[in-house]
Amino acid sequence: MAKTSAGRYFEDFRIGDVIRHAVPRTVTTGDVALYTALYGPRFAVQSSDAFAQAIGYPRSPIDDLLVFHVVFGKTVPDISLNAVANLGYAEGRFLATVYPGDTLTATSEVIGLKENSSRRTGVVYVRSTGWRQDGTKVLEYVRWVMVNKRDEAAKPHTELVPELATTVDPASLGAACPSIHAAGWDFGLSGAPHRFDGYAVGEKIDHVDGMTVEDAEHQLSTRLYQNTAKVHFNHFAQVRTRIGRRLIYGGHVISLARGLSYNGLANVFHVAAINSGAHVAPLFAGDTVFAWSEVLGKADLPGRSDVGALRLRLVATKDRTCEDHPLRAGHDYEPGVILDLDYWALIPR
Amino acid sequence: MAKTSAGRYFEDFRIGDVIRHAVPRTVTTGDVALYTALYGPRFAVQSSDAFAQAIGYPRSPIDDLLVFHVVFGKTVPDISLNAVANLGYAEGRFLATVYPGDTLTATSEVIGLKENSSRRTGVVYVRSTGWRQDGTKVLEYVRWVMVNKRDEAAKPHTELVPELATTVDPASLGAACPSIHAAGWDFGLSGAPHRFDGYAVGEKIDHVDGMTVEDAEHQLSTRLYQNTAKVHFNHFAQVRTRIGRRLIYGGHVISLARGLSYNGLANVFHVAAINSGAHVAPLFAGDTVFAWSEVLGKADLPGRSDVGALRLRLVATKDRTCEDHPLRAGHDYEPGVILDLDYWALIPR
Amino acid sequence: MAKTSAGRYFEDFRIGDVIRHAVPRTVTTGDVALYTALYGPRFAVQSSDAFAQAIGYPRSPIDDLLVFHVVFGKTVPDISLNAVANLGYAEGRFLATVYPGDTLTATSEVIGLKENSSRRTGVVYVRSTGWRQDGTKVLEYVRWVMVNKRDEAAKPHTELVPELATTVDPASLGAACPSIHAAGWDFGLSGAPHRFDGYAVGEKIDHVDGMTVEDAEHQLSTRLYQNTAKVHFNHFAQVRTRIGRRLIYGGHVISLARGLSYNGLANVFHVAAINSGAHVAPLFAGDTVFAWSEVLGKADLPGRSDVGALRLRLVATKDRTCEDHPLRAGHDYEPGVILDLDYWALIPR
């Protein structure tokens, strides 16, 4: 029996398979400090225990995207070690608050399979779930990846392309956000006066600042998440590929863009759901990341007067500023666009 | 109303303005680990809970300069986002001990304004204060920065150049250092036998070692402090400037030099005050930092027999060793000098 | 009296000298997070408090190699500041579990001295011991280093080459591993089904993955361990040497290789002893590290049915994959081999 894992190929997946992923991971204030050092986030709830307590949290929760990256990292050895590309996300929901000291595990269910016309690859759809040590679901999301076949002649047992919601129903949001004491929210300390009513559908915000990424930085982050995808770490192998360089984990881009988005979205404190997301183009060390946001929608949360939900498009670019809100040029994305993420986030009312 | 902050310009400041800065920040042992990884400090009180407890602390306090950087970082978006240069520091005093778990906030009062003869910029003087979650002042310092004007024709409401003490009165030192149990100080563990009486005014010490700085390192540190100054992170913009590269945060240099100074000042465990400081020249990635110190003065602390104060000049250089104690060549600093810091520090008697 | 330490030269050592090293160091979850970010280890016991508790630990212990590096780091200023090369390790044993919050100190006894025929250097043998704040030994190992002489004419007081065991007696292993509740070991969560009986003497395992190292990374790690060896940090000085670059701390290679070895040794959760080790060739930034392992032996632990010991050879290479298990070419190591480490590790039965 082979001791090392070569990862699953397309024909190894079956619809309905439920995969329990290794390795459980306790998240600590050490991880929080590294997350701050890597992306510079300034959202007050995650930055300050005192601020979090003033609105009703027992202490600062772990940043939602750090939870996402840790859960995502666990799925890599089983789902995407032989992936060609990470194609998309949908139906992502944050379901419970995670605090320092909590331990995360992950499972994935195979919910779709579709061979590509080339016969050399296929698309695998999984619904991945993150769990807390007490058995509570903390996160759920669908992603689909293009995975190599071991054997071109192999056929999938069943093919199915799942029907996925284009957006998460806002009525289902907010499970990971306790009822907050809105009067305790100090808009001076949080950094901006804008609350739910201050944002309008259609509004576009250039987040202005740029952040250049170094190889050491994305390697530190990706290892922190115990994400083992080879393309991020192995210069020796990458220079022998068409790409020629280490690829930066797409989640690193999401966290950088979310960090930059503080400048314009200072009170948008909680990522509640991921409607859809695409890594439009790769990022490499030495590139500078910029970001802009568009308010795509607004929603009340049933029975809650403390917070409202903004549906936001977060676009990241590389080596291109965003004052003109670059996105599409015809059917394609504009050159320089690297991320197009559609998510729901909470903000005080 | 604009959602993003463009920062204040010279004409936006008024004498007497008190600015409450965003974002509160809880400092943890995660931050301490990163601080150690970034600068390699070896001062025993901050390195070891057991050592700290043996002399009367409840546990290791947060490094004074880490407190300084976190407080400084908060002031950047309001004070120096449009700064041309950070000109100086004075009247800095550490006022209360900070421990892991404490949350820091900051305020600044505008205490001086002076338009430059070019009319394109002016100098803004602020007294910044760091606060603990319980309302205790932990740090106070004055800094002055050269800030761009939005409109050349604008005039400051009032002009005033504050009178600042050239040194902090040693009688006011020590508030952030609890009374220590000197018999518990283990000079074997701390790394050197030299105590207060072992240093003489005029003594110069070459700290010998050199430390090369990488872009990933100073970016991690500066984001850790939530310091948003654009010049440190945005290669894309910096290559389009006269400087052509990312500038390293001056505080990174101070912490590197302080770390190097352990070799010669092993028992100088607490920075109590900053008398004055100047970033003489910029530091860039790839440069190697060296440091030397001069004992400028010595002082008893009123009513305290546990510790004494050394007034120290800490000089940092780049790509130049310090065995000849480089400082000035006529009116100018010698080539290679990048930092000239005058501070008070405590050492056991 | 000189304030800075120039380190000991060969003639400064005497057989029987016991050196107490500065500086005590409290290890925290912050250090654990950085260790994870630097090497990406995935061994479940160290990654998850919940997993550790399920088998009987009070919480996740500190990674054995992190303990080793912290203890090693303390010895550098006294033992190897003037070293030319770190020649070998032997008789290393982990003696007590270390948890976050514990404080480590170190001592070394000089157990051997041998002048080299060149008369410019000599070999110093020390037995170094790491201690917990409660006076418990946590680690003991012998290392020998080639150290410069200050004065070529100086002779060592006594010469002695100690007799060292070629392997640590397996009957002495296990002190740092509490009796574990084997039924609580979840082989799904740990990442592989292989336990003690699943490994055979002579078995060779290629760990497949490669990890490229950046200067920022090894500098962060080496400072984290408060290891002050100049060759790792000072580009300005190194470019003036024959080597021309910063050298990467050998322990960084050990931790990288151990991290890579998870893929094949997922349940080998505890390094119990170091039989011998050699840094065969230097590693530099930009190089990619690969690793493979060979099972050299197996042993029962007296009176324990929970765990068994595997004697493993861990070989690391640079810019060379390991599917052919590179090691020796005649008397020499094969080009590309950088580490040859022989250790005992524990695994559930």
Side-chain angles (χ1 to χ4, degrees):
Chain A
M1 183 174 187
K3 292 295 191 321
T4 51
S5 166
R8 283 174 177 77
Y9 288 84
F10 178 66
E11 60 265 43
D12 299 326
F13 292 93
R14 291 283 178 283
I15 303 280
D17 280 355
V18 176
I19 301 165
R20 269 181 94 216
H21 305 294
V23 178
R25 171 85 155 78
T26 302
V27 185
T28 70
T29 55
D31 299 306
V32 172
L34 265 163
Y35 193 84
T36 302
L38 287 161
Y39 309 112
R42 296 198 291 141
F43 298 97
V45 174
Q46 287 77 21
S47 176
S48 164
D49 284 340
F51 191 96
Q53 287 159 358
I55 61 166
Y57 284 85
R59 63 187 295 191
S60 287
I62 298 291
D63 192 286
D64 307 298
L65 293 177
L66 175 51
V67 172
F68 176 83
H69 297 321
V70 168
V71 170
F72 184 102
K74 313 217 149 313
T75 71
V76 167
D78 296 311
I79 305 298
S80 49
L81 212 60
N82 298 305
V84 181
N86 202 28
L87 299 173
Y89 308 100
E91 298 187 3
R93 283 196 308 146
F94 290 85
L95 300 168
T97 321
V98 178
Y99 294 102
D102 283 340
T103 298
L104 300 177
T105 57
T107 57
S108 294
E109 181 179 356
V110 181
I111 61 166
L113 289 171
K114 180 81 180 72
E115 192 181 21
N116 283 323
S117 53
S118 74
R119 309 233 162 146
R120 291 197 301 268
T121 58
V123 179
V124 179
Y125 296 78
V126 292
R127 187 180 306 274
S128 297
T129 307
W131 305 83
R132 217 164 49 189
Q133 71 281 353
D134 59 2
T136 306
K137 285 188 188 182
V138 300
L139 169 66
E140 201 174 67
Y141 65 94
V142 172
R143 76 164 164 138
W144 51 107
V145 287
M146 194 191 302
V147 176
N148 280 315
K149 288 167 78 175
R150 187 187 294 106
D151 169 12
E152 272 196 37
K155 304 297 294 180
H157 199 260
T158 319
E159 284 195 305
L160 174 69
V161 174
E163 281 193 46
L164 297 168
T166 52
T167 61
V168 173
D169 179 357
S172 74
L173 301 177
C177 176
S179 174
I180 71 165
H181 177 57
W185 190 287
D186 184 325
F187 290 85
L189 285 182
S190 69
H194 317 289
R195 50 181 86 197
F196 184 70
D197 286 341
Y199 290 89
V201 174
E203 186 173 354
K204 295 179 180 180
I205 302 165
D206 171 18
H207 300 305
V208 180
D209 303 310
M211 194 66 81
T212 306
V213 183
E214 300 295 319
D215 272 318
E217 293 170 351
H218 75 82
Q219 293 194 151
L220 286 170
S221 80
T222 311
R223 282 187 299 245
L224 187 72
Y225 313 138
Q226 298 176 315
N227 178 329
T228 58
K230 300 158 197 280
V231 292
H232 308 315
F233 301 114
N234 189 332
H235 174 74
F236 180 80
Q238 289 301 110
V239 291
R240 286 156 178 76
T241 67
R242 184 181 51 81
I243 291 166
R245 293 183 279 177
R246 281 165 279 178
L247 273 163
I248 294 176
Y249 164 50
H252 196 80
V253 176
I254 297 177
S255 282
L256 278 171
R258 167 80 178 147
L260 292 169
S261 80
Y262 171 87
N263 192 0
L265 299 172
N267 294 311
V268 178
F269 71 104
H270 172 49
V271 175
I274 293 172
N275 296 311
S276 63
H279 296 293
V280 174
L283 181 72
F284 302 105
D287 294 342
T288 302
V289 174
F290 298 86
W292 67 276
S293 292
E294 179 178 1
V295 182
L296 297 177
K298 297 181 63 172
D300 298 331
L301 297 199
R304 292 186 71 159
S305 59
D306 54 343
V307 292
L310 298 182
R311 185 178 156 207
L312 295 161
R313 179 199 293 277
L314 177 60
V315 177
T317 61
K318 63 177 179 185
D319 292 347
R320 182 197 200 295
T321 57
C322 291
E323 65 281 348
D324 59 341
H325 313 122
L327 187 61
R328 292 195 175 270
H331 281 78
D332 296 326
Y333 281 95
E334 281 199 35
V337 173
I338 59 176
L339 173 74
D340 182 8
L341 183 76
D342 178 338
Y343 70 107
W344 282 110
L346 304 192
I347 180 171
R349 298 195 75 116
Chain B
M1 184 174 187
K3 292 295 191 322
T4 51
S5 167
R8 283 173 178 76
Y9 289 84
F10 178 66
E11 61 264 43
D12 299 327
F13 293 94
R14 290 283 177 282
I15 304 280
D17 280 356
V18 176
I19 301 165
R20 267 180 95 215
H21 305 295
V23 178
R25 170 85 154 80
T26 302
V27 184
T28 70
T29 55
D31 299 307
V32 171
L34 265 162
Y35 193 84
T36 301
L38 287 160
Y39 309 113
R42 297 198 290 140
F43 298 96
V45 174
Q46 286 77 21
S47 177
S48 163
D49 283 340
F51 191 96
Q53 287 160 358
I55 60 166
Y57 283 85
R59 64 186 296 190
S60 287
I62 298 290
D63 192 286
D64 307 299
L65 294 176
L66 175 50
V67 172
F68 176 81
H69 297 322
V70 168
V71 170
F72 185 100
K74 312 217 149 314
T75 71
V76 166
D78 296 312
I79 306 298
S80 48
L81 212 60
N82 298 306
V84 181
N86 203 27
L87 300 173
Y89 308 100
E91 297 188 3
R93 284 196 308 145
F94 290 85
L95 299 169
T97 321
V98 178
Y99 294 103
D102 282 340
T103 298
L104 300 177
T105 57
T107 57
S108 294
E109 180 179 356
V110 180
I111 61 167
L113 290 171
K114 179 83 178 74
E115 192 180 20
N116 284 322
S117 54
S118 74
R119 309 234 162 145
R120 291 196 301 269
T121 59
V123 179
V124 179
Y125 297 78
V126 291
R127 186 179 307 273
S128 296
T129 306
W131 306 83
R132 216 164 50 190
Q133 71 282 353
D134 59 3
T136 306
K137 285 189 188 182
V138 300
L139 169 65
E140 200 175 69
Y141 65 94
V142 173
R143 75 163 164 139
W144 52 106
V145 287
M146 194 191 302
V147 177
N148 281 314
K149 288 166 78 176
R150 186 186 294 106
D151 170 11
E152 272 194 38
K155 304 297 293 179
H157 199 260
T158 318
E159 283 196 306
L160 174 70
V161 175
E163 281 193 46
L164 297 169
T166 53
T167 61
V168 173
D169 179 357
S172 74
L173 302 178
C177 175
S179 174
I180 72 165
H181 176 56
W185 189 286
D186 183 326
F187 289 85
L189 284 183
S190 68
H194 318 288
R195 48 180 87 198
F196 184 69
D197 285 341
Y199 290 89
V201 174
E203 186 172 355
K204 295 179 180 180
I205 302 165
D206 171 18
H207 300 305
V208 180
D209 304 310
M211 194 66 81
T212 306
V213 183
E214 300 295 318
D215 272 320
E217 294 170 352
H218 76 82
Q219 293 194 151
L220 286 169
S221 80
T222 311
R223 282 187 298 245
L224 187 72
Y225 314 139
Q226 299 174 316
N227 177 329
T228 59
K230 300 159 198 279
V231 291
H232 308 315
F233 302 113
N234 189 332
H235 174 74
F236 180 81
Q238 288 301 109
V239 292
R240 286 157 179 76
T241 67
R242 185 180 50 81
I243 290 166
R245 293 183 279 176
R246 281 164 280 177
L247 274 163
I248 294 176
Y249 164 49
H252 196 80
V253 176
I254 297 176
S255 282
L256 279 172
R258 167 80 178 147
L260 292 170
S261 79
Y262 172 86
N263 193 359
L265 299 172
N267 294 311
V268 178
F269 70 104
H270 171 50
V271 175
I274 293 172
N275 296 312
S276 63
H279 296 294
V280 174
L283 181 72
F284 302 105
D287 295 343
T288 302
V289 174
F290 298 85
W292 67 275
S293 292
E294 178 178 2
V295 182
L296 297 177
K298 296 181 64 172
D300 299 331
L301 297 199
R304 292 187 70 159
S305 58
D306 55 343
V307 292
L310 298 182
R311 186 179 155 206
L312 295 161
R313 180 199 294 277
L314 177 60
V315 177
T317 61
K318 64 176 178 185
D319 292 348
R320 182 195 201 298
T321 56
C322 291
E323 65 281 348
D324 60 341
H325 313 122
L327 187 62
R328 290 194 175 271
H331 281 78
D332 296 325
Y333 282 95
E334 281 198 34
V337 174
I338 59 176
L339 174 74
D340 183 8
L341 184 75
D342 177 338
Y343 70 106
W344 282 110
L346 304 192
I347 180 170
R349 299 194 73 118
Chain C
M1 185 173 186
K3 292 296 193 318
T4 51
S5 167
R8 283 174 176 77
Y9 289 85
F10 178 67
E11 61 264 42
D12 299 327
F13 292 93
R14 292 283 178 283
I15 304 280
D17 279 356
V18 176
I19 301 165
R20 268 182 95 215
H21 305 295
V23 175
R25 171 85 154 78
T26 302
V27 184
T28 70
T29 55
D31 299 307
V32 172
L34 265 162
Y35 193 84
T36 302
L38 287 161
Y39 309 112
R42 297 197 291 141
F43 299 96
V45 174
Q46 286 78 20
S47 177
S48 162
D49 284 340
F51 191 96
Q53 287 159 359
I55 61 166
Y57 283 85
R59 64 187 295 192
S60 287
I62 297 291
D63 192 287
D64 306 299
L65 294 177
L66 175 50
V67 172
F68 176 82
H69 298 322
V70 168
V71 170
F72 184 101
K74 313 218 149 313
T75 71
V76 167
D78 296 311
I79 305 299
S80 49
L81 211 61
N82 298 307
V84 181
N86 202 28
L87 299 173
Y89 308 100
E91 298 188 3
R93 284 195 309 145
F94 290 85
L95 300 169
T97 321
V98 178
Y99 294 103
D102 282 340
T103 298
L104 300 177
T105 57
T107 57
S108 295
E109 181 180 355
V110 181
I111 61 166
L113 290 172
K114 179 85 180 72
E115 192 180 20
N116 284 322
S117 54
S118 74
R119 309 233 161 148
R120 291 198 301 270
T121 58
V123 179
V124 179
Y125 297 78
V126 291
R127 187 179 306 274
S128 296
T129 307
W131 305 83
R132 217 164 51 189
Q133 71 282 353
D134 58 4
T136 306
K137 285 188 188 182
V138 299
L139 168 65
E140 200 174 68
Y141 65 94
V142 172
R143 75 162 164 140
W144 52 107
V145 287
M146 193 191 302
V147 176
N148 280 316
K149 288 166 77 175
R150 187 186 293 106
D151 169 10
E152 273 194 39
K155 305 297 294 180
H157 199 261
T158 319
E159 284 195 305
L160 174 71
V161 174
E163 281 192 47
L164 298 169
T166 53
T167 61
V168 173
D169 179 358
S172 75
L173 301 178
C177 176
S179 174
I180 71 165
H181 177 55
W185 190 286
D186 183 325
F187 289 85
L189 284 183
S190 68
H194 318 289
R195 50 181 84 198
F196 183 69
D197 286 342
Y199 290 89
V201 173
E203 186 173 354
K204 294 179 180 180
I205 302 165
D206 171 18
H207 300 305
V208 180
D209 303 310
M211 195 65 81
T212 306
V213 183
E214 300 294 319
D215 272 319
E217 293 169 351
H218 76 82
Q219 293 194 151
L220 285 170
S221 79
T222 311
R223 282 187 299 245
L224 187 72
Y225 313 139
Q226 298 176 315
N227 178 330
T228 58
K230 301 159 196 280
V231 292
H232 308 315
F233 301 114
N234 189 333
H235 174 73
F236 180 80
Q238 288 302 109
V239 291
R240 286 157 179 76
T241 68
R242 184 180 51 82
I243 291 165
R245 292 182 280 177
R246 280 164 280 179
L247 274 163
I248 294 176
Y249 164 49
H252 196 80
V253 176
I254 297 176
S255 282
L256 279 171
R258 167 81 178 147
L260 292 169
S261 79
Y262 172 87
N263 192 0
L265 299 172
N267 294 311
V268 178
F269 71 104
H270 171 50
V271 175
I274 293 171
N275 296 311
S276 64
H279 296 294
V280 174
L283 181 72
F284 302 105
D287 294 343
T288 302
V289 174
F290 298 85
W292 67 275
S293 292
E294 178 178 1
V295 182
L296 297 177
K298 297 181 64 172
D300 298 332
L301 297 199
R304 293 186 70 159
S305 58
D306 54 344
V307 292
L310 298 182
R311 185 178 155 208
L312 296 161
R313 180 199 292 278
L314 177 59
V315 178
T317 61
K318 64 178 179 184
D319 292 349
R320 182 196 200 297
T321 57
C322 290
E323 65 282 347
D324 60 343
H325 313 122
L327 186 61
R328 291 195 174 270
H331 281 79
D332 295 327
Y333 281 95
E334 282 199 35
V337 174
I338 59 175
L339 173 74
D340 182 10
L341 184 76
D342 178 339
Y343 70 107
W344 282 110
L346 304 192
I347 180 170
R349 299 194 75 117

